[in-house]
Each structure stands twice: as structure tokens, then as C-alpha cells.
Amino acid sequence: MIRKTQKLRTLLTVLLTSLYIQVSTTPVLANGNVSGVIEETWKNAEGQIRQVVNNVIFPALSIILAIFFFVKLGSSYFDYKKNNDRFEWTAPAILFVCLVFTLTAPTYIWKLL
């Protein structure tokens, strides 16, 4: 008896959910030039996007990479002091190159895009 009422509840829930979805959604038909609308939207928002990327995104990435660079440089130095083998330059060098890229990217990234 319990399984029958559970199945009935599940069926009723599925039916009500599908009915709600059908009633609440509206079909969207694209008539006309969709790519033109997208290009126009990009032209309108391009200045704001460039400003946000240049003034927020790249500086935030630069700060994060600078912190990682100095932390990794310090940990590499302490590993060198502990082991007296050789200084491992690979990770600090990669972080330094990424840091230089994010610092100089605003000058040329928009010419590429």
C-alpha cells in the first residue's frame, strides 16, 4: 500500500512539475539578423568591458601573481638553504613571466582581439 501511494505522489509531482514548466516558459523565435544584434551589443559594451578589464581584472591578476611569485621565491630560497644543493628557478621564473605578461597585456591585448 505504501509503495502505491509513493508511486502516485511521484507521478503527481512529475506531472505538476512538467505542467508548471510548460505554462511558465515562452517560446523564443529569432526573426531577423541575430549576428547583427550581437555585434551591435558588443560595440555598445566594448568600452565598458575594456575599462573593467584594464582597471580591475589585470591589476587583480598582477597582485595575485606578485604574491605567488614572492612566496615561491622565498620558499625556493629556504629549500636552497636547507638542502645546499642548488636553487630551483623554474617555478619563480614561470610566475615572473606570467607577472610580466599581465602587467604589459593592457597595452597590446585589445589589438589582438
Side-chain angles (χ1 to χ4, degrees):
M1 188 72 176
I2 294 174
R3 290 188 53 90
K4 194 173 189 180
T5 57
Q6 249 182 346
K7 287 182 180 180
L8 186 61
R9 279 187 190 165
T10 306
L11 181 64
L12 187 60
T13 304
V14 169
L15 288 174
L16 286 176
T17 304
S18 64
L19 179 67
Y20 175 74
I21 290 172
Q22 288 177 358
V23 168
S24 63
T25 58
T26 57
V28 176
L29 301 174
N31 294 330
N33 186 7
V34 176
S35 64
V37 173
I38 294 171
E39 289 175 3
E40 183 180 334
T41 304
W42 170 252
K43 287 178 185 175
N44 291 337
E46 184 179 10
Q48 294 174 354
I49 292 171
R50 282 186 184 192
Q51 186 177 6
V52 168
V53 170
N54 288 342
N55 296 335
V56 177
I57 304 297
F58 281 129
L61 286 174
S62 299
I63 289 170
I64 292 168
L65 285 171
I67 291 169
F68 284 158
F69 171 69
F70 287 114
V71 167
K72 188 60 184 172
L73 194 63
S75 67
S76 295
Y77 174 74
F78 287 124
D79 287 343
Y80 167 74
K81 290 290 273 185
K82 187 170 87 173
N83 295 334
N84 279 337
D85 281 350
R86 53 180 254 208
F87 193 82
E88 184 60 42
W89 285 100
T90 307
I94 291 171
L95 286 170
F96 181 74
V97 168
C98 291
L99 180 63
V100 169
F101 172 76
T102 58
L103 288 172
T104 59
T107 59
Y108 62 84
I109 197 74
W110 300 113
K111 293 175 188 169
L112 296 175
L113 297 177

